[in-house]
Amino acid sequence: MKIYFIILALLMLSASVVVDAQIEKTGPVETVDGVELSKYAGKWYEIAKYPNKFQKKCIGNTTATYNLLGEGDIEVVNECLKKDGKIDTVKGKAKVVDTKTNAKLKVRFAPSWLSFISAVWGDYWIIDLDKEYQYAAVGDPDRKSFWILSRTPTLDTRTYQDILRRAETLGFEPLKVVETPQNVETIKGVVIQKPQT
């Protein structure tokens, strides 16, 4: 029985070393050098993401709209289509935490009276950004969340694959990414992809 626990302990130790080595190999997550918030503001379509519990009810047509409020504060309005055909709208607030680059933000969707609790704020790091602000990739320093955003409902395959490749060099996992359907509707609970116009 003791041998079993020794082997188990060695396996756990080696797994920990592999994880540590992987993190050391990729290093910390790097953001883009600079973001002009006035150009970043506006509506973005979600092209793909890591699956997460907050968006389980969303079946498609997911968008995020950012409105500048001043003093580094940004209103965030997330919308998506649910299976019952209704639009789910969630409003939150973002704040810039790295004023040198504007690429590191904190976002909360909890009520404002809870804003003093650090746990209600999530990291929103802009890790890839088109020079014309036509697409972006967003993640967090722990590599637990990831989104690809575009100013249009679709993104050409080459650009999409290039974004995934760059994200992989930062330690994100392309195989975890799932594409988000845009231009869909539901009829009696059935999701239908409408043709692009």
Side-chain angles (χ1 to χ4, degrees), residues 34-189:
V35 178
E36 288 185 53
L37 294 177
S38 60
K39 288 185 179 180
Y40 196 83
K43 186 173 185 175
W44 292 88
Y45 294 87
E46 182 184 278
I47 301 299
K49 67 179 179 300
Y50 277 180
N52 61 73
K53 62 182 179 181
F54 305 109
Q55 294 180 273
K56 277 188 176 179
K57 61 186 171 294
C58 298
I59 61 163
N61 298 354
T62 305
T63 62
T65 304
Y66 305 105
N67 302 308
L68 302 185
L69 301 175
E71 299 183 11
D73 288 338
I74 303 165
E75 178 191 54
V76 182
V77 181
N78 288 346
E79 293 186 318
C80 72
L81 179 68
K82 299 188 297 182
K83 195 167 185 177
D84 63 6
K86 295 179 181 176
I87 301 296
D88 184 64
T89 302
V90 181
K91 291 186 179 181
K93 184 179 265 190
K95 61 181 179 180
V96 176
V97 294
D98 177 10
T99 54
K100 184 178 178 183
T101 66
N102 289 334
K104 294 180 182 178
L105 299 92
K106 292 276 190 183
V107 180
R108 71 158 169 80
F109 292 97
S112 58
W113 60 272
L114 291 174
S115 62
F116 70 95
I117 301 172
S118 62
V120 304
W121 293 90
D123 290 302
Y124 181 106
W125 287 19
I126 302 168
I127 59 172
D128 198 352
L129 183 62
D130 173 52
K131 63 182 179 180
E132 302 298 329
Y133 288 70
Q134 293 304 298
Y135 66 76
V138 176
D140 70 274
D142 297 322
R143 301 178 176 91
K144 291 180 179 176
S145 60
F146 179 76
W147 290 269
I148 295 175
L149 307 174
S150 173
R151 293 297 191 182
T152 56
T154 59
L155 200 56
D156 66 89
T157 303
R158 182 175 179 179
T159 301
Y160 178 75
Q161 292 300 327
D162 286 346
I163 294 169
L164 288 180
R165 275 192 286 275
R166 288 192 293 270
E168 188 172 23
T169 66
L170 295 173
F172 291 89
E173 300 176 52
L175 292 178
K176 286 175 62 175
V177 178
V178 296
E179 293 186 43
T180 302
Q182 291 288 348
N183 204 30
V184 297
E185 63 182 26
T186 61
I187 298 176
K188 296 182 179 179

